[in-house]
């Protein structure tokens, strides 16, 4: 997850729009059929639910996040990531626009 | 430009953010090295300048656009597109979030 782009992927033309555009992402499908989303979260505080376990990779930006209803707030910046279990949620407070990759880890 | 996804492309992890997130896009590079951007414009009225000629393909959504300072307002929806010369500009008034592909046509 180090380099600055993904190669040989399929990307859907239609984006995912959440919270009136505060979060926008596109779906990526890799040659091995794994899926990821690639997107941006603009400044603000949002809560996302998870179906399957996820790893949120922060490409650039600054935020605090806490996992589940009782999680502790932790700060994350570009190059860091956090793991969210399935059937859970995370709250994210973005202070500098977050460019992220969401890796679905049950595949 | 008919189908719903692009295959075998490279996509930059870091997005392009314009007008405080009203427009967010990602850069795509195709196997033949042509480049496109894939993004969303949220409701509002924005003006974009062009370096090279562009074709704006509306994947989904609804907007009016006018090309250059004296252009006529025309309405566009999913499946339609408009052409913008290089070294020019276009104004776009989005009423329903526009999912778009920008094709750079001098390549």
């Amino acid at each position: 997850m180090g380099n600055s782009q993904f190669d040989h992927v399929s990307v859907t033309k239609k984006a995912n729009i959440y919270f009136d555009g505060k979060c926008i992402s596109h779906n990526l499908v890799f040659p091995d059929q794994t899926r990821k989303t690639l997107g941006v979260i603009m400044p603000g505080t949002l809560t996302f639910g998870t179906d399957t376990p996820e790893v949120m990779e922060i490409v650039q930006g600054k935020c605090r996040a806490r996992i589940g209803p009782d999680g502790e707030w932790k700060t994350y910046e570009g190059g860091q990531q956090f793991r969210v279990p399935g059937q859970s949620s995370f709250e994210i407070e973005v202070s500098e626009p977050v460019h992220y990759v969401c890796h679905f880890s049950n595949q």
Side-chain angles (χ1 to χ4, degrees), chain A:
Chain A
M1 286 185 278
N3 59 30
S4 62
Q5 67 182 41
F6 290 120
D7 297 317
H8 314 301
V9 296
S10 296
V11 56
T12 50
K13 288 186 182 181
K14 191 171 165 299
N16 310 305
I17 300 177
Y18 303 104
F19 303 105
D20 279 337
K22 278 275 186 200
C23 174
I24 288 177
S25 68
H26 283 93
N27 299 331
L28 306 183
V29 179
F30 287 69
D32 61 3
Q33 295 311 300
T34 52
R35 294 169 183 279
K36 301 184 194 294
T37 58
L38 176 66
V40 171
I41 304 175
M42 294 304 287
T45 302
L46 306 175
T47 300
F48 292 91
T50 58
D51 295 327
T52 59
E54 299 177 3
V55 172
M56 281 287 286
E57 172 196 348
I58 309 302
V59 173
Q60 179 177 303
K62 192 170 184 181
C63 64
R64 295 194 316 155
R66 64 178 179 173
I67 317 297
D70 312 317
E72 237 184 82
W73 283 107
K74 289 182 185 149
T75 299
Y76 299 93
E77 297 187 357
Q80 298 180 306
Q81 61 184 41
F82 58 90
R83 195 173 289 275
V84 189
Q87 302 304 317
S88 179
S89 65
F90 65 95
E91 192 172 3
I92 187 165
E93 179 193 84
V94 172
S95 46
E96 291 167 27
V98 161
H99 305 245
Y100 73 89
V101 178
C102 180
H103 308 261
F104 301 103
S105 56
N106 73 331
Q107 296 165 65

